[in-house]
Amino acid sequence: MLPPSVYERLGLARVREKVLAGERLNLEEGLRLLDCPDLLAVGALAHHVRTRLHGPTTYYVVNQHINYSNVCVNGCRFCAFARERGRPGAFELSVEEILQKVRERLHDPITEIHIVGGCHPDLRLETFERLLREIRRIRPGVRLKAFTAVEIDHFARLEGISTRAVLQRLQAAGLDMLPGGGAEVFSPRIRRLLCPDKLSGDGWLRVVREAHELGIKTNATMLFGHKETLEERLEHLDALRRLQDETDGFVCFIPLPFQPHNTKVEDARGTTGVEELRTIAVSRLMLDNIPHIKAYWVMLTVKLAQVALHFGADDLDGTVVEEKIGHMAGAESEQALTRTELERLIREAGFEPVERDCFFEKVQKVQGEMLKAKGQR
Ligand code: SF4
């Protein structure tokens, strides 16, 4: 922590006191932090909280990302991933092709498979139920983290059933968790501007609340650095904090810097490293009830993600292997990291690497459960 005089000079003395006392910051205080020119002063506060929560631990996961299709009916302006069906670059994997990707990595000690795609016009819920069941059969014990709230809502519309019923069916087929994408920024103004056809912010919160009520944990994201104001960023964090007070269903928050390449967002400035670090730090400080903050190296770049561990983040995500969503928008990071590389990045930053599963359970325990699960089958 920097000396008190630094915070007095910045008009943040009371904020510092509240952080040290573990008191909740209000929106006006969050705004002053997001607007603060002294990045290191904000980062030191976030690092204090991160250290209080997690000590020297930094988490990572050995995971596999699978995008089943980028065909999508929504056409969000900030999205470089989606395509209309039949257009160049559109792809759609069959269940068998996805299962083949899972089989190709059976030799890897993967604990989590992360599956998302666009809102496909006619892939039915039954296909995804079959997919989850088959992956469970091939790879028992692996955690299945799949489908954003936006996809869940889309499946419900296609089937003519409620989102709660969709969640129940997917849960019965083996779904463990929702990854938390599609939140973007909840502001109705931003959604009208950038993604008018997508599930609203209130809709996203409703679906996620239903998931939590069913015992399905989720992550939460925020896409920042496009057209939103700092106030809208803070309101997004506040909405997540209020829902978490009620449900305690969020595991990790993932701030995602907007990648402007190949998108339809005019005058997109893109984010700077300072803005990314400050937003991660303020997220740690505002989200006092969400245990983990992720530095998602795919979007941040590996080097900035490593630095972000000193700005409030306690998780580096994982090995990933094949990532399409960020890279089609110009993300400059690698496509995959090994466990050794992740551990080296964490150690060099001064932290102790701990492998986790999607619930942030240490992997030792997960492997025990995996063995148990295999024995039961
Ligand atoms: S962000 Fe998601 S919902 Fe929007 S166009 Fe891209 S894939 Fe579709």
Side-chain angles (χ1 to χ4, degrees), residues 38-56:
D38 190 332
L39 172 67
L40 294 182
V42 179
L45 292 175
H47 188 63
H48 176 83
V49 175
R50 175 248 196 265
T51 305
R52 184 168 65 209
L53 291 171
H54 305 295

Side-chain angles (χ1 to χ4, degrees), residues 60-349:
Y60 71 94
V61 61
V62 179
N63 63 353
Q64 178 177 20
H65 278 219
I66 299 176
N67 299 129
Y68 57 84
S69 174
N70 65 348
V71 175
C72 185
V73 296
N74 279 342
C76 306
R77 300 186 70 77
F78 53 75
C79 179
F81 169 70
R83 297 285 185 278
E84 284 176 40
R85 189 161 41 187
R87 290 296 183 97
F91 71 88
E92 188 178 325
L93 302 182
S94 67
V95 169
E96 188 42 47
E97 285 169 323
I98 298 170
L99 295 177
Q100 188 50 33
K101 284 184 181 288
V102 174
R103 283 192 205 98
E104 282 165 9
R105 300 226 28 223
L106 282 179
H107 58 284
D108 284 343
I110 287 167
T111 59
E112 167 196 290
I113 299 182
H114 172 124
I115 305 169
V116 291
C119 292
H120 192 284
D122 47 33
L123 275 179
R124 304 306 294 256
L125 184 57
E126 186 274 331
T127 305
F128 296 107
E129 290 174 286
R130 186 156 58 87
L131 175 66
L132 296 183
R133 289 205 168 93
E134 281 297 308
I135 296 177
R136 275 254 169 275
R137 192 178 61 74
I138 294 172
R139 196 135 208 188
V142 81
R143 303 290 192 193
L144 295 177
K145 187 177 76 175
F147 313 123
T148 65
V150 177
E151 288 165 275
I152 299 293
D153 181 71
H154 178 71
F155 299 156
R157 286 167 198 271
L158 279 184
E159 300 298 325
I161 60 176
S162 69
T163 46
R164 187 179 291 271
V166 171
L167 288 164
Q168 284 170 322
R169 280 176 56 177
L170 291 171
Q171 188 178 29
L175 178 71
D176 287 306
M177 185 172 178
L178 303 187
E184 324 308 357
V185 169
F186 295 138
S187 152
R189 181 187 77 85
I190 289 293
R191 284 183 119 81
R192 270 195 307 276
L193 203 62
L194 298 184
C195 49
D197 298 326
K198 184 176 207 151
L199 178 66
S200 68
D202 282 347
W204 190 96
L205 290 162
R206 174 184 52 77
V207 173
V208 167
R209 177 194 297 275
E210 288 171 355
H212 293 176
E213 286 168 357
L214 290 168
I216 302 170
K217 296 278 186 184
T218 77
N219 289 337
T221 57
M222 173 175 74
L223 185 73
F224 68 94
H226 36 82
K227 298 283 184 186
E228 86 287 7
T229 62
L230 296 185
E231 286 84 353
E232 285 166 334
R233 245 183 249 185
L234 257 303
E235 284 160 10
H236 183 95
L237 297 178
D238 187 51
L240 294 174
R241 188 166 73 174
R242 281 185 280 123
L243 182 55
Q244 179 75 339
D245 277 342
E246 289 177 50
T247 64
D248 197 28
F250 290 120
V251 177
C252 182
F253 176 69
I254 311 157
L256 300 170
F258 171 56
Q259 314 281 331
H261 303 291
N262 305 323
T263 72
K264 297 194 191 98
V265 182
E266 286 104 23
D267 311 323
R269 54 193 167 82
T271 48
T272 65
V274 168
E275 187 179 6
E276 290 170 11
L277 291 175
R278 190 161 37 216
T279 302
I280 290 167
V282 174
S283 301
R284 177 62 288 163
L285 291 165
M286 293 301 291
L287 298 174
D288 53 6
N289 53 3
I290 297 185
H292 301 284
I293 304 289
K294 179 175 300 192
Y296 187 41
W297 61 262
V298 170
M299 296 294 213
L300 291 173
T301 74
V302 171
K303 289 176 183 176
L304 197 69
Q306 191 184 29
V307 176
L309 300 178
H310 287 276
F311 284 78
D314 61 281
D315 181 61
L316 259 197
D317 198 75
T319 45
V320 178
V321 177
E322 181 185 86
E323 199 285 336
K324 289 198 168 74
I325 297 174
H327 285 91
M328 287 173 82
E332 291 168 6
S333 58
E334 292 80 346
Q335 284 266 349
L337 288 176
T338 64
R339 181 204 301 253
T340 309
E341 285 168 324
L342 280 164
E343 292 202 348
R344 182 172 71 89
L345 288 165
I346 292 168
R347 284 211 176 87
E348 274 193 357

